[in-house]
Amino acid sequence: MAQNTRRRPLIAGNWKMNGLQADGLDRVRRVAALRAATEVPCDLLVCPPATLLAAISEALAGSPIATGGQDCAPQTDGAYTGDIAARMLKDAGARYVILGHSERRHGHGESDAQIRAKSEAALAAGLMAIICVGETLAERDGGQTLAVLSTQVKASVPPNATAVNTVIAYEPVWAIGTGRNAAPPQIAEAHAHIRATLRQGLGAEADRMRILYGGSVKPANARETLALADVDGALVGGASLDVDAFWAIAQACPKL
Ligand code: PEP
């Protein structure tokens, strides 16, 4: 990290396609009650399914916990059945949007160019983009991890990205939802490489940008993961559905 650079960690919960009104609102109210009673050394974000975004944003009004979408369209409006524009997420109360999650890259065949177009739409709408990158197991086993990360970062992150409008999430595909957290040296190497790649395009702004780790983060591995250099928080899937686990991960952030 550059001298004197301080990045406040972000703990972001990706609920994926989980949650109805009753359990989703209950979960978020419980997190808000914990946050109202106790400080944590990090920013908090929940990304519920789009159907819950407005209700959850309303339930969190006045709380420091932000909400975000899980994807957005590159277009602003029009004949795109089933898609959701970034400004619609904003209108529903979102401050962030996750883009290029591996379940979008691999499950829906999204390319770096599409992710960049979505990221540009998010920034234009005034949302913070959380741009996900990460290698598959075959790419890691083939020794291609760093090359894959370079390509994804260069091709997915818009040139007008700043630390104020963009967060990067390193999510090795083989660690997502598998219970298999990447080993600390693997995480440290990937994060340092992502930051060095960002520096090539964005200069010193790269040292202010948060890079989250995502992939089976749980209370048991959070403290060690979050203490690594260049790890500025976590994108949490499965464990974000469990209020106690999500809260324990937030509390595991190192104090600045
Ligand atoms: C994710 O969905 O971004 C994720 C990291 O999932 P999990 O924590 O369940 O591996």
Side-chain angles (χ1 to χ4, degrees):
M1 191 192 302
Q3 211 80 45
N4 297 326
T5 302
R6 290 284 182 274
R7 298 179 294 260
R8 183 169 164 83
L10 171 67
I11 301 297
N14 173 15
W15 290 8
K16 313 193 188 198
M17 199 173 71
N18 295 293
L20 300 176
Q21 295 276 343
D23 60 298
L25 283 168
D26 176 63
R27 183 181 307 127
V28 91
R29 284 190 182 118
R30 286 169 56 212
V31 179
L34 288 166
R35 179 62 188 81
T38 318
E39 277 287 338
V40 275
C42 60
D43 293 336
L44 290 172
L45 166 67
V46 292
C47 299
T51 48
L52 295 183
L53 196 48
I56 286 186
S57 299
E58 201 180 316
L60 290 175
S63 147
I65 305 171
T67 59
Q70 298 176 10
D71 183 37
C72 74
Q75 301 86 2
T76 51
D77 49 25
Y80 302 101
T81 303
D83 290 342
I84 301 176
R87 65 197 195 110
M88 294 171 177
L89 297 175
K90 181 112 192 284
D91 190 49
R95 286 181 42 210
Y96 290 76
V97 59
I98 299 169
L99 296 167
H101 190 280
S102 71
E103 288 151 17
R104 305 291 318 173
R105 284 182 184 269
H106 299 287
H108 295 259
E110 288 189 7
S111 66
D112 287 323
Q114 285 170 310
I115 294 157
R116 175 169 158 166
K118 290 178 174 200
S119 302
E120 287 172 347
L123 303 197
L127 292 177
M128 291 272 291
I130 301 180
I131 303 174
C132 304
V133 295
E135 79 288 0
T136 62
L137 188 56
E139 288 164 342
R140 176 160 284 276
D141 288 346
Q144 297 168 291
T145 298
L146 302 186
V148 167
L149 295 177
S150 296
T151 301
Q152 291 181 344
V153 167
K154 286 180 188 160
S156 309
V157 178
N160 60 335
T162 68
V164 174
N165 62 26
T166 302
V167 174
I168 307 298
Y170 169 56
E171 299 211 306
V173 179
W174 47 273
I176 297 177
T178 58
R180 185 176 159 190
N181 190 35
Q186 294 173 318
I187 299 173
E189 180 188 42
H191 279 238
H193 182 75
I194 290 169
R195 197 172 305 283
T197 307
L198 288 169
R199 243 182 241 126
Q200 288 170 20
L202 305 176
E205 190 65 9
D207 291 299
R208 293 184 278 276
M209 197 171 276
R210 291 184 285 196
I211 305 176
L212 313 184
Y213 171 74
S216 298
V217 175
K218 307 184 263 300
N221 56 31
R223 194 167 297 279
E224 184 180 28
T225 303
L226 292 165
L228 294 168
D230 284 310
V231 174
D232 310 308
L235 182 52
V236 185
S240 72
L241 298 173
D242 175 332
V243 172
D244 294 334
F246 187 61
W247 188 248
I249 292 168
Q251 286 189 307
C253 286
K255 296 195 173 55
L256 287 180

